[in-house]
Amino acid sequence: VRRGYPEAVYCEGKSPEQVRAIAERVGGRPDVTTIFTRADADRAQAVLAALPDAFHDPVARLLVWPPRMPEPTGELVVVACAGTSDLPVAREALLTARHLGRRAELVVDVGIAGVHRTLAKVDLLRSAGAIVVVAGMDGALPGLIAGLVSCAVVAIPTSVGYGAAFGGLAPLLTMLNACAPGVGVVNIDNGYGGGHLAAQIAAPR
Amino acid sequence: VRRGYPEAVYCEGKSPEQVRAIAERVGGRPDVTTIFTRADADRAQAVLAALPDAFHDPVARLLVWPPRMPEPTGELVVVACAGTSDLPVAREALLTARHLGRRAELVVDVGIAGVHRTLAKVDLLRSAGAIVVVAGMDGALPGLIAGLVSCAVVAIPTSVGYGAAFGGLAPLLTMLNACAPGVGVVNIDNGYGGGHLAAQIAAPR
Amino acid sequence: VRRGYPEAVYCEGKSPEQVRAIAERVGGRPDVTTIFTRADADRAQAVLAALPDAFHDPVARLLVWPPRMPEPTGELVVVACAGTSDLPVAREALLTARHLGRRAELVVDVGIAGVHRTLAKVDLLRSAGAIVVVAGMDGALPGLIAGLVSCAVVAIPTSVGYGAAFGGLAPLLTMLNACAPGVGVVNIDNGYGGGHLAAQIAAPR
Amino acid sequence: VRRGYPEAVYCEGKSPEQVRAIAERVGGRPDVTTIFTRADADRAQAVLAALPDAFHDPVARLLVWPPRMPEPTGELVVVACAGTSDLPVAREALLTARHLGRRAELVVDVGIAGVHRTLAKVDLLRSAGAIVVVAGMDGALPGLIAGLVSCAVVAIPTSVGYGAAFGGLAPLLTMLNACAPGVGVVNIDNGYGGGHLAAQIAAPR
Amino acid sequence: VRRGYPEAVYCEGKSPEQVRAIAERVGGRPDVTTIFTRADADRAQAVLAALPDAFHDPVARLLVWPPRMPEPTGELVVVACAGTSDLPVAREALLTARHLGRRAELVVDVGIAGVHRTLAKVDLLRSAGAIVVVAGMDGALPGLIAGLVSCAVVAIPTSVGYGAAFGGLAPLLTMLNACAPGVGVVNIDNGYGGGHLAAQIAAPR
Amino acid sequence: VRRGYPEAVYCEGKSPEQVRAIAERVGGRPDVTTIFTRADADRAQAVLAALPDAFHDPVARLLVWPPRMPEPTGELVVVACAGTSDLPVAREALLTARHLGRRAELVVDVGIAGVHRTLAKVDLLRSAGAIVVVAGMDGALPGLIAGLVSCAVVAIPTSVGYGAAFGGLAPLLTMLNACAPGVGVVNIDNGYGGGHLAAQIAAPR
Amino acid sequence: VRRGYPEAVYCEGKSPEQVRAIAERVGGRPDVTTIFTRADADRAQAVLAALPDAFHDPVARLLVWPPRMPEPTGELVVVACAGTSDLPVAREALLTARHLGRRAELVVDVGIAGVHRTLAKVDLLRSAGAIVVVAGMDGALPGLIAGLVSCAVVAIPTSVGYGAAFGGLAPLLTMLNACAPGVGVVNIDNGYGGGHLAAQIAAPR
Amino acid sequence: VRRGYPEAVYCEGKSPEQVRAIAERVGGRPDVTTIFTRADADRAQAVLAALPDAFHDPVARLLVWPPRMPEPTGELVVVACAGTSDLPVAREALLTARHLGRRAELVVDVGIAGVHRTLAKVDLLRSAGAIVVVAGMDGALPGLIAGLVSCAVVAIPTSVGYGAAFGGLAPLLTMLNACAPGVGVVNIDNGYGGGHLAAQIAAPR
Ligand SMILES: Nc1ncnc2c1ncn2[C@@H]1O[C@H](COP(=O)(O)O)[C@@H](O)[C@H]1O
Ligand SMILES: Nc1ncnc2c1ncn2[C@@H]1O[C@H](COP(=O)(O)O)[C@@H](O)[C@H]1O
Ligand SMILES: Nc1ncnc2c1ncn2[C@@H]1O[C@H](COP(=O)(O)O)[C@@H](O)[C@H]1O
Ligand SMILES: Nc1ncnc2c1ncn2[C@@H]1O[C@H](COP(=O)(O)O)[C@@H](O)[C@H]1O
Ligand SMILES: [Mg+2]
Ligand SMILES: [Mg+2]
Ligand SMILES: [Mg+2]
Ligand SMILES: [Mg+2]
Ligand SMILES: [Mg+2]
Ligand SMILES: [Mg+2]
Ligand SMILES: [Mg+2]
Ligand SMILES: [Mg+2]
C-alpha cells in the first residue's frame, strides 16, 4: 500500500463469514489501519466479533481498526450535503477523511433550491483545503459551490431519488457537466472514495 | 386548431421545395398566423420566396406570417439563459411567446456558476407570470430559479455541451430531478414548445 | 420558502425514526402547512405518532398537517388517468393541488386505446385552468388531451408497465416528444411535483 | 427464398460500384423480382445503369426489377402516417406491399394531436386486412388506430424528430408499450420490412 | 371493445382486493369473455373467490371467465420456444390465441444452438397461419424461423437471461434487427399481446 | 511487444502527417512487422509515401510492412460473414490472421435467414482451429455456427444496420448472449482484434 | 451435442421441481456428463435429491453428474481474479474447464491497483494455453494480463461493484475496449461460458 | 470570478463572428487572463484577428490573452497519456495548468498494455502534487497510476476509440470504477477542466 494511507475492505459483496475471516487476519496487523466500508448490521457484527474494540459508525456503515483517530494534519476538509437522505454517504466521506488524518467538518441543509442557506456558509467553505459535496436527484450543488470557492471540489453523486434519477445517473451526469471548473467526480454513493480523495488533496506538503 | 393559437410548420425534416409548397398554401390563409420553426438559411429562403413580407429571425431560425405581432395580453413571460450558446433556443422561445400574444423579455448571463448575477435579477423574475429557463450542460439553472419564484418554470434543456452531456440528456435529467417543485420540462432544444407552453400559462383568464 | 406554498418532506429515503423526529419538529410550527410525501404504512405511522390529527390518504401515500384544507382559489385543476394502476400517483397530484389551494377533480378511465371515452370528457377538460395527465406504458394520453384543450397540460409518466416500459422511461420519452405543444413534463411517478406545478399554473392572479 | 416473395438488396452500406455489380447479376434472373431498398441518388443511378427499365420511386428510395407490378390478391393494406416528414418510410412500405401483390392505399394527415382527422378515416381503416402505421416523435398513432380496428397493425417508428426522440428510440418504445393489443413493431425507419409483414398478413389463404 | 375479442384485465399493478372487485363486476357481464393476465397466486385466488368456475392456468398466470373455450375458426397458430424457462410466456400466448378462437399448438425444444431440431419441425411451422416465437437471451430464434416460412412471425422477447441480456433488451433488439422480413415484435414478456396479435393475423376472413 | 506478433498502428485518430511520421520510423525497423489498421485513402497514401512497397488492401483499410507474408503454421482460421456489407471487417480479420502466420480462408454468403447455405459449409467450418464470425444487424450467426463446431468462435459485431441496431450494439448484445458456449466477443468493427485473437487460438503449440 | 463436451442445465430461471425432473432424466443417461449451473441451495438440493452422488461446489453454484473428473489433456488453463467477491464466477470457470478435460489453476489477489502482485505471477501466466480473467468494477485486469502473455485471454466481466458499474456494464465495456489484442469477452458473470471457451482454446489438437 | 484564476471562453458552440466579438471585449480587459478553449482553425483566426499577440497552441485548440505565462508556484503537475491520439486533450490540460500558474510536464507512451513503460516513470509521477491522466478506449491508465502514487489523480476520459467505446462512455465508466482510491473524474475530452482542477489541487498554500 501507499505510505501513510489505511487499507480498506469492501464488505458489500462478501458473506459475514468471509468478512469475519478477513477481520481476524486484520487483527494480526495492528500497525496498519484498516477501514471496513459498506458494512450492514450483519457484517458489522462479524467485524466486531473479531475486533471488539473497532470504531463503528452505523449511519456511515463504516468500521475502523485499530480505533485510534490520527492527529489531524494538512488542511480542513468540509463535507456538504442537503439533508437526511444523503447523510450515510456524507458521513462515510467525513469519517474516511478523518481517519486519513484530516480535520473534517460536516455542513448539512445547503442546496440549490435554497441558495441563501448555501451562501450563508461561504466563509466556512472558503476556509477548506478541499470540499466534498454529496448530492442526489439533480446533483446541482457541487457546481454551485465550485463557483464560490477556489479549492478543489470532490463531487459524490448519490442514488437518492427516483424515476429519472436512474439510480444516481442523473446527478452523476450533472456533476460531470458542472459549469464551474474545479469539480472532480467519484462513483455514485462512493463516500469512502470521495473522502479519500479529499484527504489526499488536503494533505500536508 | 385550438382557438387563438397559431399553426406551426416544422421545417427540419422537409426539403426546401416542400417548405415552399407549404408556404404557398399558407399565403392563401391570411386569417391564421403560421410560425415556421427550425428553418435554416435554405428553408428560410424557401419561405420568403413564397411570403416575402414574413417576419424572419435568423438566430431563432423562425419565420412568421402574416408578420404582424399581436397586442400583448396576459402576464409577462421571462426567458432566461446563461449565454451565447443557448441564444438560438432562447430566442425561439421568446418570439414564440410574443407571437402567441404575450409580453416577453430575455435575460442572459445568469447561471449557477455565477449565482450572484442570477440573484440580481430576482425582481424581474418575480414579476413574471411564467418563466422559461434554457440551459445546456449541467442544466441546473431552472431548479435554482424555481427556488426563488412562485410562478411556474418551463425548463428547456439544450444540446449545448459535449461528452457526458450526451446531446442534452444530462440537462434533461437534471431538470426532471429539480429539487424545487414548479418545473415543467419540454424536449431538448424545443424553444418553440417551451415558449408556447409559457404563453399558455401566462394567458389572460 | 416561497409565500403561500406548503413545505414538503420526502419520506422514502428516511427511516421511520427520522420521519418521526421531523414530524415532531413540524408539530412546533402550526403556521406552516407541511406535506409528507411517499409515506408507506410504517412512515405514515411515524408521522401519525407525532401528529395524530394529520390528514392521511393511504392510496396517495400522503399526509398533511395541520389537516385543514385551504379555501379554494384560482382555477380548476383536472387530474386525468387511465385506471386503477395509475391511481396512487394521480391521487398524490390531486391532493397536492387541493392543499395548495386549488379546486381539483379526478377523471379516470380515459385513454388512447379508448379514445371515445376521452372525447366524452372534453367539456370538463376545457373548463380547467391546468390539467394533470398521469400515464404509464405508452404515455400517449397527455398528447391526446393537449390537442383538445387550450390550457397547459402537466404530464406525469408512471413506472406502471413492464419490459420495454423500462421503469417509466417509455412514457417519459413519449411525453417529451408529444406532437401537440402545451405539455410540460415532470419526473416519473412524481405526483407531488405534478400537482404542485398545476396548482401554480392555475393560481389566482 | 420463400415462394412468391421478391428478393431484396439493401443498398445503404454498399458502394455504387458494388450496387451496380449486383444489379447486373439481377439482370440475368428475370424470373425473380428484386427490390433495391434505401438507394440514394447515386445508388439508384447505379441500378438504372444496369437495369434501365427498373421501376424507381425516389421518395421511397426504392427500385424494382423487372418493373411489372403483380396483379393484387388478398386483402387491402392501408399505410397511414401524419405528414410530409414520414412520407419516405410510408411510401417504402406502400410500394413494398404492392410489389408483394397486395392492393395498398396511403392515408396521410392523421395523428394523435388531431384525433378527429383520424376518426374520419375509420371506415377505410376498418376495410383493411392489415394496417401499417408510420410515426416518429411520440409514436402514439399505432396505439390509437389499433384501438379502432380488428385487424393487425404493423407499427414502424421513424427517426423523425430531435432531442429526446433519440433517433427513433422514443416512438419505438411507445409502440412496444401500446395499450391496445394487436400491434407488431418493426425496426426504426424499416418501411420495407413493415410493408413486407403487412403483405404477408393480408395474403390470400 | 372491438367486436369478437375478449376484454383483458392486467393484474400485476393491482392489489388482490382491487382484482377481486373487478372480478365481481366481471361476473355481472357473462356475455363478454374476460382474460385476467399476469395473475400470481394471490391475485388468482382473488379472481377465483369471485368467479369460482373461471379457467385458470398457473404456469401462464392467466384466468378466463366465462371458462368456455370458443369453437376454433381461422388458421392454426403455432407457438414455439426453446425450453422450460420461456414456458410461462409461451403458454400465455398459446392460451390467449385459443381464447380468441384459434386452434393453437405449442412446440418446445427448438433453438438456434440446435438448428436441426428446428428444421425437423418445418412442416408443422409451414402449416400455420401465424407463428409466435418466444425467446430470451440472444433472441435469434424468430429470425431463423421467419427464414423458413411464408406466414407472419410474431416475436416475443423474454427477460430470461442475465448480465448483458439486460432484462430482455438483448433479444428485443435482435428481433427488431432480424435479417429475414416477416417479423413483428411485441413487448418483452408480453405473451398476452403476442398471442392476441397472432390470433388476429390468423383470423377467418 | 510479445514475441512473434507484429506491431499495430491505429490510423483513425491520427492526421496523415502523423501517420507518415510514424511510417518513417517504422521504415527504420525492418525486423519487426508493422500493421497499419483503419487507414482510409489519405492515411494509406501517407503510409505508402514513406513505405512504397508496403502491402495494401483498400477494402480492409490495412497496410503491412515489410510486405512479406509469413509461412503459415498452426491451424486453419476460417472467417465467415453474410455478405458485401461486412466485407471490410471480415477482410481485416482475414489479413491480420494471415500476417500473424496462420492459413486463413474467407466464407461469405452464410447467414441465419438462409440457414441451409450455412449448413452446406459445415465441413470447412469443422476443419478450422478457430473461426471468426463477422455479423451486423441481429448478430445471430456466431451462435448458429458455435452450435455446429467444436473449436472456439471469435465473434465480431459490426455497425452495419440502422435504427435499433444502434451502431452495432444490437449484434454485440446478441453475441454476448449466444446460447451455444464457445463464443468470445471483441469490439464492434474490430476486424484487427478478431483476426489477432483467432490467430493466437490457432497458433502452433 | 458436439462431441466430447458435457451438456449443461441452467438452473436460475427454473423452479426446484423443474430442476429435479430434469435431474431425474439426466440420471438415465450416465454416458453423457451434465453440468448444472447457477444452482442456489434449493436447486442444488433438487439435483442432489435425484442424483445423490453428484459433484457439488456451493461457491461456484455448480453440480456435475456423473461426478467423475476426466483425465486432463491439452494445455493448462489459468483462471485469475482480484479477490473474494469474484470467486463464485472464477470457480465456476475453473471447474467448468476441469470437467471439460483441462488442467486448471486459480490465481487470486492480482489486480490493476496492485500491479506488482500481477507481475509476480507472469511465469505461471505464460505457461498457460488459455487464461480466464474475471473482473468487476473497472474490469481492467484482462487488458493488463493480455499485454504480458502470448496466449488468448478470455475475459469475464462480473456484476461486482455498485453505482456506475451498472451491474457489470462498466467492466464489460472496458474489456471490449482493451488496448492489448488477444481478449475475447463473454457475458457478465458467465463463469460457465468463460471456462468452456478457455477449455476449447486449450484443447489438444 | 474567483481570485487568481483566468476567465474561459468556450468556442465550440459559437460562430466565428461571436468569438471575434467576445475577443474584442477581452482586449479591453488586459488585467484578466482569458483562455479560449476548443477553438478550431476558424475560431482561432477570429480570436487572432482581435488579439494578434495571443498565445495559440493549435494542437490543444487553445488561445490565451494576454499571452504572458505566470511565474510557476505550488507543486508540479504531471500530465500522462498513451500516445498521439490523446495528445490534443493532454496538451489542453498541460497548457491550462501552466496558465493557472503551475509547473507542468507531459509524459506520453505510458499505458496498461505496456505496463513496464509506466513503471519506468514512477519517480517522475511520485514527484508530482497532482497528476492528470488522459485515456480513451479502456480508460484503465488512471487506476494503474493511482495505485502507484500518493497524490490525487485527475482522470480525463477521451472520445478516442470506436464501437463499444461509445464516444468516451467506456473510459468514463472505467475511471469512475477505478479500484484504487484517489481518482477524480471530469467530463469526456475536458482537457481544460482537468488541467484546471489539477492546478487547483497543486496550488501553493
Ligand atoms: N420546433 C418544433 N418542435 C416540436 N414540434 C414542433 C416544432 N414546430 C412545429 N411543431 C409541431 O409540429 C407539428 C407540425 O408538423 P408538420 O405538419 O410536420 O409541419 C405541429 O403539431 C407543431 O405543433
Ligand atoms: N414526492 C416528491 N418528489 C420529488 N420531490 C419531493 C417530493 N416530496 C418532497 N420533495 C422535495 O424534496 C425536498 C424535501 O426533501 P427532504 O428535506 O429530504 O424531505 C423539498 O425540496 C421538496 O420539494
Ligand atoms: N399482460 C398484458 N400486457 C400488456 N397489456 C395488457 C396485458 N393484459 C392486459 N393488457 C391491456 O391492459 C389494458 C387493461 O388494463 P387495466 O384496465 O389496467 O386492467 C387493456 O387495454 C389490455 O389490452
Ligand atoms: N483497429 C484496431 N482496433 C483496436 N485496437 C487497435 C487497432 N489497431 C491497433 N490497435 C491497438 O492500438 C494500439 C496502437 O495504438 P497507437 O499507438 O495509437 O497506434 C496497439 O495497442 C494496438 O494493439
Ligand atoms: Mg472552485
Ligand atoms: Mg417556483
Ligand atoms: Mg393544449
Ligand atoms: Mg387492433
Ligand atoms: Mg417469414
Ligand atoms: Mg463451439
Ligand atoms: Mg495476449
Ligand atoms: Mg493515488
Side-chain angles (χ1 to χ4, degrees), chain F residues 2 75 146 149 185 201 205, chain G residues 2 75 146 149 185 201 205:
Chain F
R2 292 161 290 162
E75 293 181 279
V149 302
V185 186
I201 294 171
R205 306 239 171 111
Chain G
R2 291 160 292 161
E75 293 181 278
V149 303
V185 186
I201 295 170
R205 308 242 170 106

Side-chain angles (χ1 to χ4, degrees), chain G residues 54-81:
Chain G
F55 168 89
H56 180 209
D57 185 288
V59 171
R61 298 149 309 156
L62 185 132
L63 300 102
V64 187
W65 192 88
R68 62 166 181 259
M69 185 79 80
E71 262 315 292
T73 60
E75 293 181 278
L76 174 68
V77 169
V78 172
V79 178
C81 72

Side-chain angles (χ1 to χ4, degrees), chain D:
Chain D
V1 303
R2 291 161 291 163
R3 245 158 338 200
Y5 289 128
E7 292 271 2
V9 176
Y10 173 62
C11 298
E12 209 164 61
K14 305 192 172 80
S15 67
E17 293 69 38
Q18 293 175 319
V19 170
R20 182 171 179 161
I22 294 171
E24 274 159 9
R25 282 201 303 275
V26 162
R29 253 178 0 187
D31 51 312
V32 183
T33 298
T34 299
I35 304 182
F36 296 83
T37 66
R38 297 190 160 241
D40 61 12
D42 283 358
R43 280 152 194 84
Q45 257 342 96
V47 174
L48 291 168
L51 305 166
D53 64 333
F55 169 89
H56 181 209
D57 185 288
V59 170
R61 298 148 308 157
L62 186 133
L63 302 102
V64 188
W65 191 88
R68 64 167 179 257
M69 184 80 80
E71 262 316 290
T73 60
E75 292 181 279
L76 174 69
V77 170
V78 171
V79 178
C81 73
T84 312
S85 311
D86 291 327
L87 261 190
V89 175
R91 283 192 68 79
E92 190 186 10
L94 184 82
L95 293 169
T96 298
R98 284 187 184 154
H99 280 95
L100 264 80
R102 290 315 142 261
R103 196 159 52 86
E105 279 184 43
L106 185 64
V107 173
V108 290
D109 202 27
V110 290
I112 190 114
V115 74
H116 293 291
R117 289 196 304 273
T118 309
L119 294 178
K121 304 282 184 182
V122 154
D123 285 349
L124 175 61
L125 293 167
R126 289 198 174 146
S127 72
I131 301 171
V132 178
V133 186
V134 181
M137 300 174 90
D138 64 12
L141 191 56
L144 175 67
I145 289 179
L148 298 170
V149 303
S150 291
C151 74
V153 169
V154 175
I156 312 181
T158 69
S159 53
V160 168
Y162 59 89
F166 291 124
L169 179 65
L172 170 62
L173 295 183
T174 309
M175 291 168 182
L176 289 167
N177 287 284
C179 289
V183 178
V185 186
V186 299
N187 195 6
I188 298 163
D189 291 333
N190 189 5
Y192 165 72
H196 198 290
L197 178 58
Q200 289 172 276
I201 295 171
R205 307 245 169 105

Side-chain angles (χ1 to χ4, degrees), chain H residues 9 23 25 30 36 46 50 73 75 103 117 128 130 141 173 176 178 182:
Chain H
V9 176
R25 282 201 302 275
F36 296 83
T73 60
E75 293 181 279
R103 197 160 51 87
R117 290 196 304 273
L141 193 55
L173 295 183
L176 289 167

Side-chain angles (χ1 to χ4, degrees), chain B residues 62-115:
Chain B
L62 187 133
L63 301 102
V64 187
W65 192 89
R68 64 169 178 258
M69 185 78 80
E71 261 316 291
T73 61
E75 291 180 279
L76 174 68
V77 170
V78 171
V79 179
C81 72
T84 313
S85 312
D86 291 327
L87 261 190
V89 175
R91 284 192 67 80
E92 191 187 9
L94 184 83
L95 293 169
T96 299
R98 285 187 184 152
H99 280 95
L100 265 80
R102 287 321 138 256
R103 194 160 53 87
E105 280 184 41
L106 185 64
V107 174
V108 289
D109 202 27
V110 290
I112 190 115
V115 73

Side-chain angles (χ1 to χ4, degrees), chain G residues 10 15 39 54 74 79 83 98 101-102 108 111 194 205:
Chain G
Y10 172 63
S15 68
V79 178
R98 285 188 184 153
R102 287 318 140 259
V108 289
R205 308 242 170 106

Side-chain angles (χ1 to χ4, degrees), chain D residues 2 200, chain E residues 146-147 149-151 153 181-182:
Chain D
R2 291 161 291 163
Q200 289 172 276
Chain E
V149 303
S150 290
C151 76
V153 169

